[in-house]
């Protein structure tokens, strides 16, 4: 599990994820400077650190680099949720508490995600669910 990003790392990665293309230190710097005073070398160091940690890949362009995200923000969020859940001594209770914190929109997104992971409904899966109410089929519908 990756360590959670620090505040400045998150601010940089937010831009890299949002733009969804290779970016330069200068581009990130100029966007960050709209919110805070920050030096070019600071942004360069943060992007280098993110590269060393495996969050971004980089490709040389002249004397500079272009940086691109290795994975998505969604994958990062999923990894954080999985890590938090796996640290619980009672995963079921943790999920119940988490679901209780969700908005109606978030619960609907969860239902949609479960449907996607389960795949299309088949007569066999429907029969298994009727035989074992409350069971959660795995990714293959078993």
């Amino acid at each position: 599990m990756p360590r959670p990003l620090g505040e400045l790392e998150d601010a940089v990665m937010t831009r890299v994820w949002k733009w969804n293309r290779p970016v330069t230190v200068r581009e990130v710097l100029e966007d960050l400077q709209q919110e805070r005073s920050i030096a070019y070398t600071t942004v360069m160091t943060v992007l280098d650190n993110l590269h060393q940690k495996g969050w971004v890949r980089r490709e040389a362009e002249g004397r500079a680099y272009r940086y691109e995200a290795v994975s998505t923000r969604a994958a990062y969020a999923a990894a954080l949720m999985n890590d938090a859940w796996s640290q619980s001594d009672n995963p079921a209770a943790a999920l119940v508490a988490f679901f209780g914190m969700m908005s109606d929109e978030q619960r609907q997104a969860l239902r949609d995600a479960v449907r996607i992971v389960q795949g299309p409904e088949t007569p066999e899966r429907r029969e298994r669910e009727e035989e074992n109410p409350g069971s959660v089929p795995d990714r293959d519908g078993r």
Side-chain angles (χ1 to χ4, degrees):
M1 159 62 199
R3 279 189 22 240
L5 296 171
E7 186 265 331
L8 188 51
E9 289 174 328
D10 186 70
V12 169
M13 282 305 300
T14 293
R15 283 145 180 90
V16 174
W17 282 318
K18 181 176 76 174
W19 295 335
N20 196 28
R21 61 174 172 75
V23 300
T24 64
V25 172
R26 176 79 47 209
E27 290 173 310
V28 175
L29 170 73
E30 289 173 358
D31 200 60
L32 282 170
Q33 284 179 330
Q34 295 176 24
E35 299 173 1
R36 64 176 88 191
S37 176
I38 191 166
Y40 180 93
T41 54
T42 302
V43 176
M44 185 173 63
T45 298
V46 170
L47 278 163
D48 185 60
N49 290 343
L50 289 167
H51 176 256
Q52 298 300 321
K53 293 177 180 182
W55 286 104
V56 295
R57 62 171 108 5
R58 67 185 181 193
E59 189 171 314
E61 184 176 277
R63 292 179 36 206
Y65 289 105
R66 282 202 175 267
Y67 296 86
E68 186 173 16
V70 170
S71 66
T72 64
R73 181 178 274 291
Y76 168 66
L80 291 177
M81 288 187 290
N82 186 59
D83 185 56
W85 183 49
S86 67
Q87 292 181 32
S88 173
D89 61 349
N90 187 339
L95 284 175
V96 169
F98 180 61
F99 296 156
M101 295 176 196
M102 292 176 143
S103 68
D104 290 338
E105 294 80 20
Q106 289 169 322
R107 280 192 289 279
Q108 183 58 51
L110 175 65
R111 284 190 286 276
D112 293 344
V114 168
R115 271 191 227 100
I116 290 167
V117 170
Q118 288 176 338
E121 185 171 338
T122 63
E124 294 83 15
R125 191 177 95 209
R126 193 175 317 116
E127 186 177 309
R128 271 194 306 276
E129 290 172 358
E130 288 169 0
E131 291 172 2
N132 300 304
S135 68
V136 179
D138 66 12
R139 184 175 295 225
D140 297 323
R142 289 185 225 125

